[in-house]
Amino acid sequence: PMNLTRPEREKILQKAIALVDKKHFKPDLNGVDWHAVVEERRARVLDSETPEQFEHEMHEMVTQLKTSHTGFFHQSARTIPARLSINATFDKWDISGVEPWMFLDIHEGGPAHNAGLEPGDVLLAVAEEDIRPPKQPIFKMGQATRITVLKRDGKEASLDLNVPSPKMKKHPVNAPQAVVFRKLDDGIGLLRVTMVPGIVGIDFARDIDRAVRELQCDRLIVDMRGNTGGGIGGLRLMSYLTPEKKPIGYSLSRARAEKGYKKESLPRFGKIPHPKLALRWLALRYARVAGSGAVVTEGLGPQAFHGHVVMLVNHHSASAAEIVAGFAAENKLATIVGTRTAGRLMSGSAYKVGHGYILGLPAGAFYTWQGTLLEGKGIQPDVEVKQTYESLKAGLDPQMEKAIEVARSL
């Protein structure tokens, strides 16, 4: 990104203000006076001396809206969060009076996993710069980054994180292995879902089908910890939780919410198509509803594990993962174990604002069928279990241990 003149920065700022006014689902959702925020931060934005400072100030300004899928970044994708760039999450942790970033969720197939990182490893430096909270660790996409970590065995190590370039600049995300499964003892199947890739999720749905078919279990643990969300492919996972067609919830665009609606009359999405050629038909069918519609399970019939499902979530489980967890909780289809989910449940859109900069905004909201808006609230687990640095350092997973205990008791 080039260093912009003050009039160029002003033009981008004005575009961002107008887009929030026109496109954001509800700028005052969290009691925020958007224009007051702009006036408070305008000088800092316009007086920015470097591209990095301008991006930072713009991002800080729009995130004051306190809604998910809200951000400001350059299409060079320099400042993509770690959960999307290296497929790992971090927690701030008190270790002997110091509060560094600790790796928590490490998703298989992602750059962090491929580098050999594990939950409980502590991040010390990125590109030779000490990184501590509240400063967020950033990993540039499309290149290798040298990091220093304190491993679980107490030894420091330096290693390279090779971060691929994103396939789409407008939605810069690296995808880990979305579906991982294996059998545990006592007939328990473990299904880990790290992301819900794809707009419709045909390939993801096939992966879920294969997992259920090969697990052949009468008890199931669905691990969605650290799941960053994704598209409607989560419908296939939810459809395996209940035998019949059951309403899940509904999404509303800003226009539909302001105009008024009846959830029973919204267009229904209740089947993930098999052939990819169906995507074109699907796009034409749902283009007219402009992001509003109800979601209903597919009616896949009874499964041996029905009534014996445990779902693992944590405060990094977001978006489509929360739709799944919310559906399971609202209909008592699974026992939820872990910590409260992130409460990031808006559908997002990205808008170009000039000079390669992109503004991300929530364009729609999702409600459970009973009308609960989970944005900013999240899902509270039935059994709350927190991780500890001591347990992770020892290679233990208290949340998984509790999930197995609960599954055996069902």
Side-chain angles (χ1 to χ4, degrees), residues 15-333:
K15 282 186 178 180
I17 295 170
L19 280 168
V20 172
D21 287 338
K22 184 177 180 180
K23 300 292 187 179
H24 193 292
F25 179 76
K26 195 176 181 184
D28 61 351
L29 180 66
N30 293 302
V32 176
D33 184 337
W34 163 237
H35 287 273
V37 169
V38 172
E39 290 311 309
E40 179 188 351
R41 294 176 172 266
R42 180 186 293 272
R44 278 181 283 179
V45 169
L46 298 180
D47 293 341
S48 298
E49 296 181 353
T50 65
E52 291 78 13
Q53 184 182 359
F54 174 66
E55 181 177 337
H56 172 76
E57 292 296 343
M58 284 291 296
H59 181 76
E60 287 296 304
M61 183 182 70
V62 298
T63 54
Q64 295 305 303
L65 290 163
K66 301 176 183 178
T67 49
S68 57
H69 299 287
T70 304
F72 183 88
F73 59 94
H74 195 269
Q75 65 183 13
S76 57
R78 295 176 3 263
T79 56
I80 303 306
R83 65 180 185 276
L84 302 179
S85 59
I86 67 169
N87 307 129
T89 66
F90 293 92
D91 267 9
K92 181 177 70 172
W93 217 265
D94 188 334
I95 303 174
S96 301
V98 180
E99 292 188 333
W101 289 117
M102 179 190 73
F103 285 91
L104 186 60
D105 305 296
I106 307 286
H107 295 323
E108 291 189 33
H113 178 265
N114 294 340
L117 292 164
E118 301 171 294
D121 287 346
V122 175
L123 181 67
L124 300 177
V126 177
E128 299 184 354
E129 178 187 359
D130 291 345
I131 298 292
R132 290 187 183 179
K135 186 171 184 178
Q136 294 289 326
I138 299 298
F139 305 93
K140 295 182 179 180
M141 302 182 85
Q143 67 181 58
T145 300
R146 192 75 170 173
I147 68 170
T148 304
V149 296
L150 179 66
K151 296 291 290 180
R152 297 194 310 198
D153 61 7
K155 298 179 180 178
E156 283 193 19
S158 293
L159 49 88
D160 289 324
L161 273 177
N162 294 298
V163 186
S165 297
K167 293 181 180 179
M168 296 184 295
K169 288 186 177 180
K170 198 172 182 180
H171 299 283
V173 174
N174 282 323
Q177 190 171 340
V179 179
V180 181
F181 62 94
R182 62 188 174 91
K183 285 188 175 181
L184 306 177
D185 296 333
D186 301 329
I188 299 174
L190 173 61
L191 174 62
R192 189 174 192 192
V193 182
T194 62
M195 184 180 281
V196 186
I199 297 173
V200 179
I202 293 176
D203 292 332
F204 174 81
R206 288 174 178 166
D207 289 341
I208 293 292
D209 289 341
R210 175 171 170 259
V212 171
R213 184 172 61 249
E214 295 190 16
L215 281 173
Q216 289 291 309
C217 57
D218 56 15
R219 282 170 171 74
L220 179 66
I221 296 174
V222 181
D223 187 354
M224 303 194 76
R225 291 175 295 176
N227 185 303
T228 54
I232 196 61
L235 173 60
R236 182 58 51 86
L237 176 56
M238 289 182 283
S239 295
Y240 274 115
L241 298 179
T242 180
E244 72 270 26
K245 285 183 171 290
K246 184 183 286 290
I248 295 168
Y250 53 94
S251 58
L252 295 176
S253 66
R254 175 171 174 168
R256 174 66 67 177
E258 291 175 348
K259 183 179 179 180
Y261 65 95
K262 288 184 178 180
K263 64 181 181 181
E264 294 82 4
S265 301
L266 293 172
R268 292 198 167 197
F269 182 85
K271 185 69 177 178
I272 294 178
H274 290 291
K276 292 190 176 182
L277 291 175
L279 287 175
R280 192 170 189 179
W281 168 82
L282 206 61
L284 290 172
R285 180 182 176 187
Y286 288 96
R288 64 182 179 84
V289 304
S292 298
V295 186
V296 181
T297 56
E298 299 173 281
L300 300 181
Q303 302 292 329
F305 51 74
H306 283 167
H308 310 283
V309 179
V310 179
M311 189 170 292
L312 275 166
V313 297
N314 66 9
H315 46 291
H316 295 294
S317 304
S319 187
E322 295 183 275
I323 294 178
V324 176
F327 172 67
E330 189 168 85
N331 293 279
K332 302 188 185 306
L333 299 174

Side-chain angles (χ1 to χ4, degrees), residues 373-399:
L373 177 65
L374 296 172
E375 173 74 14
K377 301 184 184 78
I379 293 98
Q380 177 64 32
D382 301 302
V383 182
E384 185 167 16
V385 182
K386 296 180 179 180
Q387 300 286 49
T388 67
Y389 172 66
E390 291 74 19
S391 61
L392 292 176
K393 184 179 178 182
L396 303 175
D397 186 344
Q399 292 176 337

